Amino acid sequence: MSDWSFVLRLNQPLTPEQADAFDHCDAFGDGSVSYTLGPEDPDQYAHRPDPAALSELSCDVEAPTLLDAVAQVARDIRLIPGLRAVGVRHDGRVGVPETPRELTVADQ
């Protein structure tokens, strides 16, 4: 199996409640998927995280193919109420049999 690094785009930024559910979900217990949680009151801070980054998960997943890795995380993220995958970004080269560079994950 290979290790695949990609970014899974979500339908929304994680709320504190979703982050707590993520942190306690066995599917993400190995640390292969991480998120950025913004401050509760961003107006109190001079520097704010990129809003797009708050709707993304950084993934380093072991799987036979990139498509398998993306499908695994897209399936698992649905365990968190209100979250679903809407796209993926992979910055490396992918062979034709693997998957296209940019995917959109259909709502299942």
Side-chain angles (χ1 to χ4, degrees):
M1 281 211 252
S2 299
D3 287 327
W4 300 99
S5 296
F6 57 94
V7 172
L8 190 72
R9 295 182 181 138
L10 302 175
N11 60 315
Q12 67 178 55
L14 273 76
T15 64
E17 295 80 15
Q18 289 167 326
D20 186 57
F22 182 99
D23 292 343
H24 291 92
C25 183
D26 289 340
F28 302 112
D30 65 357
S32 63
V33 180
S34 62
Y35 60 87
T36 300
L37 188 62
E40 288 186 29
D41 187 4
D43 293 330
Q44 292 183 347
Y45 302 93
H47 175 74
R48 295 184 189 142
D50 177 10
L54 299 178
S55 295
E56 296 179 340
L57 299 176
S58 296
C59 307
D60 294 300
V61 177
E62 187 177 311
T65 67
L66 175 58
L67 188 57
D68 289 328
V70 170
Q72 174 186 328
V73 180
R75 180 195 66 230
D76 290 346
I77 199 62
R78 297 203 52 126
L79 297 170
I80 311 301
L83 294 182
R84 62 183 173 82
V86 296
V88 66
R89 185 180 76 238
H90 178 263
D91 296 326
R93 291 185 178 192
V94 178
V96 174
E98 299 297 336
T99 185
R101 178 169 228 174
E102 186 75 22
L103 297 175
T104 298
V105 180
D107 189 280
Q108 298 175 354

